[in-house]
DNA sequence: CAAGAGATCATCT
DNA sequence: GATGATCTCTTGA
């Protein structure tokens, strides 16, 4: 084997629980450039995460956990590294990754990914076949990846849904206020949405 | 292209 | 009974 070949090997390491057991803002930033993987009997879909939002705890009026510990928010109160998937607007599912210590309710919303693998499968699950429109929004990416509430509570360290680090270099990102949280008082303007700078696959600039 | 409405239901009041 | 961490389509300039 040539010496240069080892540099070409694509390392893909599944993120471990300790990755998620940190401050939600830190996890939201670090998830940019990681790869969301969903294994399914129909096939595997992979997307490079380009947009996230942090929902940082019970004091965050935009975070569902601000309403307290209920059946719906129970997963966010559980251990880090699990999926919090909820249904909204009568149509769409939203994928979040639970962060921080157990009993501290916080999570990162995955808002957009760049399609990498399983693109035909994503197209068949969605009507609009344009590559840029397959997964550039939280509802769209759940459609494209076949994610619904059956994955609520799934362990990202031991299920068909997980995130890989493929050894991308550190990325430049932008922070903006979160989308669709106008009701959240002073929390609506905090810069808790993170985008990869220059990506064409974000939901909006 | 921007703005607005409609779709549709789980969750909480 | 109201509303929402959205998306798509229609309308009109």
């Amino acid at each position: 084997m040539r010496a240069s070949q080892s540099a070409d090997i694509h390392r893909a390491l599944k993120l471990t629980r300790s990755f998620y057991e940190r401050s939600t803002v830190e996890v939201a930033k670090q998830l940019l450039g990681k790869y969301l993987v969903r294994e399914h009997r129909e096939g595997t879909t992979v997307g490079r995460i380009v947009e996230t939002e942090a929902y940082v705890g019970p004091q965050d009026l935009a975070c569902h956990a601000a309403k307290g510990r209920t059946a719906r928010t129970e997963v966010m109160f559980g251990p880090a590294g699990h999926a919090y998937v909820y249904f909204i607007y009568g149509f769409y599912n939203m994928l979040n990754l639970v962060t921080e210590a157990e009993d501290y309710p916080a999570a990162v919303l995955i808002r957009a990914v760049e399609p990498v693998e399983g693109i035909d499968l994503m197209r068949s699950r969605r009507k609009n076949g344009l590559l840029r429109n397959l997964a550039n929004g939280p509802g769209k990416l759940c459609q494209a990846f076949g994610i619904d509430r059956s994955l609520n509570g799934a362990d990202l360290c031991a299920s068909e849904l997980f995130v890989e680090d493929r050894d991308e270099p550190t990325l430049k990102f932008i922070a903006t206020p979160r989308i669709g949280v106008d009701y959240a008082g002073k929390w609506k303007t905090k810069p808790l949405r993170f985008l990869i700078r220059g990506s064409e696959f974000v939901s909006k600039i």
Side-chain angles (χ1 to χ4, degrees):
Chain A
M1 163 157 117
R2 286 170 290 123
S4 63
Q5 203 170 0
S6 60
D8 296 331
I9 291 174
H10 211 41
R11 275 202 300 158
L13 298 178
K14 187 186 290 193
L15 298 183
T16 59
R17 191 151 340 266
S18 60
F19 178 92
Y20 302 101
E21 288 173 331
R22 297 181 294 160
S23 99
T24 307
V25 167
E26 187 62 21
V27 174
K29 293 176 185 174
Q30 293 290 327
L31 280 170
L32 296 175
K34 302 294 193 291
Y35 289 77
L36 178 69
V37 182
R38 158 68 158 147
E39 293 171 344
H40 192 278
R41 54 190 157 70
E42 295 173 336
T44 297
T45 44
V46 179
R48 177 172 172 261
I49 298 171
V50 297
E51 178 177 345
T52 61
E53 281 180 0
Y55 288 84
V56 299
Q59 75 284 7
D60 177 356
L61 295 178
C63 182
H64 290 166
K67 305 281 187 189
R69 188 164 189 157
T70 67
R72 180 205 218 186
T73 59
E74 186 61 29
V75 174
M76 267 200 286
F77 283 83
H82 290 252
Y84 167 44
V85 182
Y86 67 90
F87 187 66
I88 187 94
Y89 297 123
F91 275 91
Y92 300 102
N93 294 290
M94 304 278 126
L95 172 64
N96 301 256
L97 312 184
V98 175
T99 59
E100 312 241 9
E102 188 160 3
D103 291 325
Y104 189 89
V108 173
L109 171 68
I110 308 299
R111 281 194 58 91
V113 305
E114 173 179 346
V116 170
E117 188 180 318
I119 291 171
D120 289 341
L121 182 52
M122 295 186 202
R123 281 210 170 92
S124 73
R125 286 169 173 158
R126 287 183 39 73
K127 288 195 173 182
N128 193 335
L130 285 178
L131 187 62
R132 261 172 61 176
N133 291 334
L134 283 179
N136 63 335
K140 298 179 191 179
L141 81 85
C142 283
Q143 272 185 359
F145 280 66
I147 292 168
D148 61 25
R149 281 168 300 165
S150 66
L151 285 172
N152 189 38
D155 187 349
L156 302 171
C157 304
S159 73
E160 64 274 23
L161 181 68
F162 53 93
V163 181
E164 284 179 353
D165 184 350
R166 297 191 175 182
D167 238 11
E168 283 207 19
T170 305
L171 294 154
K172 293 190 174 174
F173 66 87
I174 300 171
T176 80
R178 293 170 293 185
I179 305 294
V181 295
D182 289 347
Y183 59 86
K186 69 177 184 184
W187 285 89
K188 76 181 181 187
T189 53
K190 292 187 183 291
L192 293 174
R193 172 175 177 250
F194 304 100
L195 327 173
I196 291 184
R197 191 156 92 181
S199 173
E200 297 175 36
F201 296 91
V202 298
S203 62
K204 55 181 77 169
I205 304 298

